[in-house]
Amino acid sequence: MRVKGGSTTRQRRKAIKRKVEGAWGTKHTSYKIARQTLIRSSEYAYRDRKARKRDFRKLWNTRINATLRSMGYNYSTFINALHKNKIAINRKMLSELAINNPQEFKILVEKVMKK
C-alpha cells in the first residue's frame, strides 16, 4: 500500500511561504518562487550581518573624528596616543562619550594628548 505524503509536503511548503510572508506579489504565494526568494534573502541577511559591523565602526570613527577636529586634533593621532598610553577603550564607547558627554570626552582627549 502506498503512503500519500500530501500533508507533509503541504507543511513543508507552508513553512517556506510563512518565512517570506512580507514579500511582494507572487514571491509569497508561489512555492517555487517563494523558495528562490528565501534563498536570496538569506544570502542578503548573511552579507548584511557582516556589513552592519563595518558600517557601525565607520559611523563611530566619523563621530569621534568630527568631535576631535572641533578641538583641533585628528582621529589618527588621537587613536595612536590612546595606544601609546595603553588606554583600552573601544570606538563605540568613545563615540558615545563624544556625543552624549562632550565635557568628559574633552577631559580624556586633553589627558591623552598632553603626554
Side-chain angles (χ1 to χ4, degrees):
M1 184 163 133
R2 83 182 185 95
V3 175
K4 291 162 68 176
S7 59
T8 309
T9 304
R10 188 168 54 253
Q11 285 173 349
R12 186 178 69 244
R13 289 180 180 174
K14 277 177 77 171
I16 286 178
K17 284 183 184 181
R18 236 179 273 120
K19 288 178 182 173
V20 291
E21 226 170 30
W24 190 83
T26 359
K27 290 183 176 185
H28 75 279
T29 54
S30 166
Y31 169 70
K32 186 176 182 180
I33 299 171
R35 195 176 66 207
Q36 293 170 356
T37 303
L38 183 64
I39 292 168
R40 174 74 46 88
S41 66
S42 299
E43 288 172 358
Y44 288 153
Y46 178 79
R47 179 197 69 191
D48 292 341
R49 276 195 302 274
K50 310 300 174 198
R52 185 187 312 130
K53 293 166 182 60
R54 291 192 297 266
D55 291 343
F56 269 108
R57 186 176 170 111
K58 205 182 302 181
L59 173 68
W60 298 329
N61 292 349
T62 306
R63 284 178 173 176
I64 295 166
N65 192 28
T67 309
L68 285 168
R69 290 207 183 247
S70 68
M71 295 177 191
Y73 302 107
N74 69 13
Y75 176 80
S76 61
T77 54
F78 175 68
I79 293 296
N80 186 32
L82 277 178
H83 288 301
K84 283 182 179 175
N85 290 316
K86 294 183 173 54
I87 298 173
I89 180 169
N90 64 20
R91 284 157 177 82
K92 181 180 180 181
M93 291 301 112
L94 283 171
S95 170
E96 287 296 316
L97 266 177
I99 299 298
N100 298 325
N101 299 330
Q103 266 60 35
E104 291 182 26
F105 184 73
K106 190 171 186 174
I107 292 168
L108 174 71
V109 170
E110 296 299 329
K111 180 182 173 189
V112 168
M113 297 307 274
K114 273 184 185 176
K115 294 180 182 179

